[in-house]
Amino acid sequence: SLNDLQNIEFICEPKIDGLSLNLNYEKGSLISASTRGDGKLGENVTNNIINIKDIPKKLIGKNFPDEIEIRGEVFLNKKDFIELNKSLNEKNKFSNPRNAAAGSLRQLDANITKQRPLNFIAHGLGYSSKKYDTYLEFYEDLKKWNIPSNKLKEINSSLKSLDRYFNEIEKIRNRIEYDVDGIVFKLNDVNLQKRLGFVGKNPRWAVAQKFSAEKSITKIKKIDFQVGRTGAITPVARLLEVNIGGVIVSNATLHNFDEIEKKDIREGDLVEIQRAGDVIPQVLKVIKKDKSRKNIVKPPKLCPICKSKTVKEDGEAVIRCENNNCRAQILGSLIHFVSKKSLNIEGLGEKQIIQFYNNGMIKNFVDIFYIEKHKDKILELEGWGELSFNNLISSINNSKEINLNKFILALGIRFIGETLSNLLAKEFLNISNFFTNSKNKDRLNNIDGLGPKAINSLYNYFKDNDNLVIIEKLKNLLNILDYKITISNSIFNNKNVVFTGTLIKLSREEAKHLAIQLGAKISSSVTKKTDFVIIGDNPGNKAKKAKELGIKLIHEDELIKETS
């Protein structure tokens, strides 16, 4: 029974804004280190963590399990981050300490990682052959083994004390030597943890409470434009540099031109900016108008990159470059194609893509898989050596086996994000079906959950002969795995499910992930083909429409119950 809540102990500790790392020890010796990746697969970074002082290669003493997985966070202190950025040229500077830690740990050249002042703090336990009754016992062992845990952690057992701890840490967050973005509260009792279990990859026995976003005031020096992979032109404020929580901020998004007009933002104005997590800083409001204010920035009639005409489609606030061959769009598509959510090619990030593109080695997706022929030219470029080149080729070869949904996402088709990529993969099952049917508008119109914008975007993408040639070549180069249909005994198996309202126990993404695991097909709108509508607080029109159509409404608890 859990009646006496006052006796339930919680470990409270700051949530470090770093990169997750798993350390695996056998008989006291470190055998591997990997990032957590998507919760199932991570990158092996064993060679790169050898010189992190907080990670012992061998556990001290004899009191250690035969096998143990220690989870924690790799990070840079704020001062070290600033010093590191000073040593880098303008193109290679990092935007924040988290990106600097990730970039340093994932370096293909381990010698570069050695020169970076990385730190490690342990905060979690994976598999262990030694059974612990409490997390506190695990932390006591960490201390014996000379592995640091957070010095600011506390054990509390009342809501009042949890709230007090949160407020105290939030007050001193700017004085903490590393970036923290909230507090993690987790049950101390391991047996209670087991009873509560997980939702997807997220534990029910731990919860993070985020701090409010950090804000500061600075001046807008200039407003210019960035062009994304879909041609969207975003106005960006170039700022007088300001330090927000240890991060030097010099740019902030203005979202779109309607936003500029709504907030009446001009060059020279003193503005309040906000930095929240990994999101690019944004301008919240004007604090003081510049005395000699210029005219408000208007949407450009020509693309700032390729000078082609710009267009604004009906119902959209975004201005777009209409030239699909715009340099910015090509680069954006290439960067998206190799990114973590797509092909996940380690060592081929934004900087390398731009480097190869500028040198004429990569012009489209297919060229990536023939980069080896440019070996001599690459080895002459800054930052490349024999080892880093060989690691890149290995990473490219590893990326050649890819799930159908990730391949669809990698193509970067406008309006086709993760949810619709999964929907299309489940609908067509293999690459040949996807390739053939995406040219058939009637077939696309019959897919529940695919809206008119996405349908038109897919259809137009496959009408372009250049795209067809590229995809045909990719089909031959890659092993695109067929979609595996989930078969379960759940009531959700092979059912069309729509979510509406604010879920209480799960985030919307967690709930969708859980439903897919149970074999459900997620849709965004309620139709006659919908089987269940899962509701949260303030469900709105979707719930109303479901009632009118006689579709069963289900609370999120029933979804959670199906996994237990």
Side-chain angles (χ1 to χ4, degrees), residues 118-137:
L118 295 171
N119 303 280
F120 177 78
I121 281 182
H123 58 57
L125 176 65
Y127 172 77
S128 173
S129 56
K130 176 181 178 179
K131 301 307 171 191
Y132 290 96
D133 290 326
T134 67
Y135 245 49
L136 193 57
E137 291 173 19

Side-chain angles (χ1 to χ4, degrees), residues 363-380:
K363 295 177 183 175
N364 56 51
F365 300 152
V366 174
D367 290 343
I368 291 166
F369 301 97
Y370 293 103
I371 198 70
E372 196 166 7
K373 69 182 181 181
H374 299 291
K375 179 177 180 179
D376 292 342
K377 197 173 177 181
I378 290 171
L379 292 178
E380 292 174 4

Side-chain angles (χ1 to χ4, degrees), residues 54-330:
D54 303 317
I55 300 176
K57 314 310 164 282
K58 195 162 182 61
L59 300 179
I60 293 170
K62 295 181 180 179
N63 182 29
F64 45 72
D66 286 343
E67 292 180 71
I68 189 166
E69 179 191 9
I70 297 169
R71 297 174 177 173
E73 212 77 15
V74 172
F75 62 95
L76 275 169
N77 285 330
K78 294 172 186 174
K79 285 183 181 177
D80 291 333
F81 164 70
I82 292 168
E83 289 303 312
L84 172 62
N85 259 357
K86 282 180 184 176
S87 69
L88 300 173
N89 62 43
E90 202 60 40
K91 284 185 178 179
N92 293 329
K93 288 184 188 297
F94 293 103
S95 58
N96 57 56
R98 185 185 188 281
N99 288 348
S104 301
L105 193 64
R106 289 171 170 154
Q107 276 287 336
L108 291 178
D109 187 348
N111 288 318
I112 295 176
T113 308
K114 287 177 188 177
Q115 297 163 20
R116 306 275 171 89
L118 295 171
N119 303 280
F120 177 78
I121 281 182
H123 58 57
L125 176 65
Y127 172 77
S128 173
S129 56
K130 176 181 178 179
K131 301 307 171 191
Y132 290 96
D133 290 326
T134 67
Y135 245 49
L136 193 57
E137 291 173 19
F138 167 60
Y139 281 146
E140 286 167 356
D141 273 352
L142 289 176
K143 190 174 181 180
K144 292 174 192 171
W145 300 332
N146 206 26
I147 297 178
S149 59
N150 205 302
K151 292 175 184 175
L152 294 170
K153 67 179 175 293
E154 274 188 18
I155 290 194
N156 290 299
S157 57
S158 71
L159 288 175
K160 188 176 180 180
S161 60
L162 298 182
D163 190 49
R164 186 252 329 141
Y165 178 83
F166 177 87
N167 291 328
E168 284 181 1
I169 299 298
E170 185 167 33
K171 282 176 187 174
I172 65 164
R173 65 188 289 199
N174 287 331
R175 300 204 298 274
I176 298 173
E177 59 189 7
Y178 43 81
D179 258 1
V180 294
D181 56 7
I183 299 295
V184 177
F185 302 103
K186 53 195 172 192
L187 283 171
N188 186 30
D189 189 316
V190 173
N191 289 319
L192 288 181
Q193 290 181 9
K194 288 175 182 174
R195 284 179 65 181
L196 287 170
F198 288 75
V199 176
K201 63 178 182 177
N202 301 298
R204 288 198 187 103
W205 45 267
V207 65
Q209 185 178 357
K210 290 292 189 84
F211 292 140
S212 56
E214 294 188 83
K215 299 173 184 177
S216 191
I217 294 171
T218 189
K219 183 179 180 179
I220 296 180
K221 295 193 296 185
K222 193 175 188 310
I223 295 175
D224 57 25
F225 315 118
Q226 285 182 347
V227 182
R229 65 180 172 86
T230 64
I233 298 172
T234 305
V236 177
R238 307 300 177 188
L239 308 168
L240 197 64
E241 284 190 348
V242 62
N243 189 320
I244 306 183
V247 177
I248 303 300
V249 173
S250 56
N251 304 311
T253 182
L254 295 166
H255 299 294
N256 56 56
F257 295 93
D258 290 348
E259 189 82 356
I260 291 178
E261 200 164 332
K262 180 181 169 185
K263 293 178 179 175
D264 192 22
I265 298 167
R266 315 279 179 98
E267 290 180 356
D269 287 351
L270 204 64
V271 292
E272 183 178 57
I273 60 168
Q274 172 177 288
R275 174 180 169 255
D278 277 340
V279 179
I280 186 170
Q282 58 183 309
V283 174
L284 294 176
K285 61 183 177 182
V286 174
I287 300 297
K288 186 179 179 183
K289 295 177 181 179
D290 185 45
K291 288 180 181 177
S292 54
R293 288 186 111 201
K294 297 180 181 178
N295 292 332
I296 201 159
V297 172
K298 296 289 184 184
K301 293 181 179 179
L302 299 178
C303 170
I305 304 298
C306 70
K307 307 306 176 190
S308 300
K309 284 184 180 178
T310 60
V311 293
K312 183 176 182 180
E313 295 175 10
D314 291 341
E316 281 205 345
V318 177
I319 305 291
R320 295 184 189 276
C321 166
E322 65 177 7
N323 175 20
N324 292 335
N325 292 314
C326 174
R327 178 181 184 273
Q329 291 188 55
I330 293 171

Side-chain angles (χ1 to χ4, degrees), residues 461-473:
Y461 185 90
F462 280 90
K463 261 177 43 176
D464 188 314
N465 192 58
D466 290 342
N467 292 336
L468 297 180
V469 170
I470 292 290
I471 293 178
E472 196 62 55
K473 288 179 178 178

